[in-house]
Amino acid sequence: MALTKKQPRSKFYELLQAQIHNEFNASQQYIALAVWFDAEDLPQLAKHFYKQSVEERNHAMALVQYMLDTDHHVEIPGTGEVRNDFSDVRELIELALQQEKDVATDIQQLAKAARAEEDYIGEQFTQWFLKEQVEEISQMSTLLNIVKRANGNLFEVENHLHRESIGDGGGADPGMPPVAGGAL
């Protein structure tokens, strides 16, 4: 059986491949945060970050599907270092917020590379991710503010998450690009 020839790699596609790694790494980091919250008997915070982990995994798999759909070779990477030790809840949320800001910067670089290469389909593909990062940063900023206002009373944070369901859009986003293997 002959293998089909794949498209040559451009800077945009190299950045897409790197972003797959970043999204999987973010997923693993969110699992570590969720487990930390679980160990501290904070079920709403744990639930929130388990969901965030699945969302990041779905983002990675949407990138995979796009690369498959555009006939590019895809490599599934390992993940990088994951932080597991924290002394204060604020540290976890600050880490998550910084992670979302870093991803937003990465997605902006993807959009710039696609535009520079006149890859208008690739540029259009990045638009959903840019919008998503605005939402993610906003939600994580809100959660950090709630943690700060709770002034150490984590039951207030738990109650807020239970009541408000931050980050729970009520299911899959119909505008999200297709996910390889289907969204979880």
Side-chain angles (χ1 to χ4, degrees):
M1 180 173 159
L3 296 176
T4 59
K5 186 175 180 180
K6 297 290 182 180
Q7 294 289 329
R9 290 228 172 167
S10 64
K11 179 177 180 180
F12 176 67
Y13 283 95
E14 291 296 331
L15 290 171
L16 275 175
Q17 184 65 57
Q19 193 59 34
I20 291 169
H21 171 268
N22 295 343
E23 298 289 344
F24 278 130
N25 198 65
S27 178
Q28 289 297 99
Q29 184 62 66
Y30 281 148
I31 289 173
L33 299 182
V35 168
W36 191 93
F37 285 124
D38 249 350
E40 295 295 320
D41 296 321
L42 297 164
Q44 296 301 318
L45 282 159
K47 178 181 172 184
H48 177 73
F49 283 99
Y50 284 127
K51 283 183 182 179
Q52 288 296 119
S53 174
V54 170
E55 189 173 289
E56 299 302 331
R57 175 262 181 210
N58 286 340
H59 293 170
M61 295 306 287
L63 296 169
V64 167
Q65 187 63 55
Y66 180 78
M67 289 182 74
L68 290 170
D69 289 346
T70 56
D71 200 30
H72 283 82
H73 176 73
V74 180
E75 295 175 10
I76 301 302
T79 60
E81 291 294 316
V82 173
R83 184 174 170 194
N84 289 284
D85 296 318
F86 302 92
S87 59
D88 179 75
V89 170
R90 188 181 293 194
E91 284 182 72
L92 285 86
I93 308 304
E94 288 171 344
L95 174 70
L97 176 57
Q98 188 57 55
Q99 183 169 277
E100 293 299 344
K101 288 178 178 180
D102 292 345
V103 168
T105 299
D106 295 339
I107 299 296
Q108 288 171 357
Q109 293 305 310
L110 273 167
K112 285 179 186 179
R115 181 173 287 177
E117 294 170 6
E118 298 182 3
D119 182 347
Y120 303 113
I121 294 169
E123 183 179 358
Q124 186 276 329
F125 173 73
T126 64
Q127 298 307 302
W128 180 88
F129 290 93
L130 290 168
K131 178 183 88 50
E132 175 71 6
Q133 284 314 117
V134 170
E135 293 172 13
E136 293 293 331
I137 290 169
S138 175
Q139 290 171 357
M140 211 55 73
S141 293
T142 297
L143 183 55
L144 182 57
N145 286 334
I146 298 303
V147 167
K148 288 176 182 177
R149 288 180 188 139
N151 201 25
N153 185 346
L154 297 179
F155 293 112
E156 288 298 324
V157 178
E158 287 282 289
N159 285 333
H160 177 81
L161 279 172
H162 180 72
R163 192 174 58 248
E164 300 297 325
S165 299
I166 290 177
D168 185 13
D173 178 346
M176 182 179 180
V179 175
L184 297 180

